[in-house]
Each structure stands twice: as C-alpha cells, then as structure tokens.
Amino acid sequence: MTDNKEKIRLDKWLWAARFFKTRALAKAAIEGGKVHVDGQRCKVSKTAELGARLNIRQGFDQKEVLITALSDQRRGAPEARLLYEETPESIKQRMDESERRRIMKASMQVPDHKPNKKERRDMRRFEHNQDY
C-alpha cells in the first residue's frame, strides 16, 4: 500500500485491486462508460482518491465500492480486497440478480440434442421463408 500523498491513476488502481486482469482491460472499461466515480463518468487518467465511490459494471454484475486504500502494485487477492469495501446494498443487489438469473436459466427449455444436417437445413428454409 502506498502513502495517501501519491497519485495513482484509476486504471492502475482497478488493475491493482483485481477488478480487471490487465490495465488495458481497465482502460477499455473506463472509456466504455462501465466505471463511474461518484456517479460521474470519468477518464482513465483520473486519480483514485480515498473515500471515492466507484460503480463498476462487469458482465451482468454491477458493483458499488468505496476506495479504502491506494496501491499501484498488483498483489494477491486477500491483499487486493483491502483496497476497497463493497457496499452492503451492492452485495444484496448482486445476490438477488444472480438468484433471478439462476431461476430464469432453470425455467428455460434446453433442446435434448444438437440439430443434425437435415434439421439445420429445415430451420434455414423456415427462416428464409419468414421474410416479410
């Protein structure tokens, strides 16, 4: 962990906190609007500040975390968890969404086999004849 006086870029902090596997992925997420600082879109070069509230969207999950420590070195997961604290509301919302997705997946019908050549040909023919 570094001193509070050091300035650390947001993309580097996200990488060190293990939200993204590479800094390039962290940069792409910030540029794509998947990371907000205190409710505002930000740039890659924004400095990470103690107490800042980050909204991070990763796949289906939306995490809201508070920065509790700064670091520019990527370390093990237990040490990376010390850099931030996820809000209880965020944890509850992620668990609820995960449960909802699990229930939806269980209710979907899954075909019992992969379509063979004739079935694929019939599906293409059906789709082609459905043009309006």
Side-chain angles (χ1 to χ4, degrees):
M1 316 260 175
T2 60
D3 291 337
N4 296 341
K5 297 174 186 173
E6 276 192 50
K7 293 183 179 183
I8 298 172
R9 291 169 53 110
L10 186 60
D11 63 332
K12 197 166 191 177
W13 185 88
L14 288 168
W15 167 75
R18 294 184 158 281
F19 284 106
F20 298 97
K21 198 166 189 167
T22 64
R23 281 185 64 191
L25 290 175
K27 179 182 181 223
I30 294 169
E31 289 173 345
K34 307 248 187 282
V35 178
H36 291 158
V37 177
D38 294 326
Q40 301 288 322
R41 275 186 79 160
C42 59
K43 292 186 177 183
V44 178
S45 60
K46 179 159 179 65
T47 55
E49 298 172 354
L50 291 177
R53 184 177 298 265
L54 300 179
N55 289 321
I56 304 166
R57 180 130 183 103
Q58 290 179 303
F60 292 118
D61 293 332
Q62 173 101 14
K63 296 178 183 176
E64 186 173 327
V65 299
L66 296 172
I67 297 177
T68 57
L70 300 176
S71 177
D72 61 351
Q73 293 182 339
R74 187 174 172 98
R75 306 219 176 174
E79 290 181 41
R81 274 189 234 109
L82 300 175
L83 298 177
Y84 64 91
E85 180 182 322
E86 188 171 4
T87 61
E89 299 86 20
S90 172
I91 294 170
K92 183 181 180 327
Q93 183 180 9
R94 278 193 310 112
M95 294 302 154
D96 292 346
E97 285 293 316
S98 175
E99 182 66 19
R100 188 184 62 77
R101 285 193 307 269
R102 187 188 65 77
I103 291 170
M104 290 294 289
K105 184 177 179 183
S107 68
M108 291 177 59
Q109 287 186 343
V110 179
D112 56 344
H113 70 283
K114 184 177 174 180
N116 61 26
K117 188 173 182 177
K118 182 184 182 313
E119 292 168 337
R120 285 193 304 270
R121 193 169 46 237
D122 290 342
M123 286 189 298
R124 270 190 241 109
R125 189 176 299 128
F126 179 76
E127 288 172 0
H128 180 68
N129 291 334
Q130 292 297 317
D131 293 336
Y132 295 100

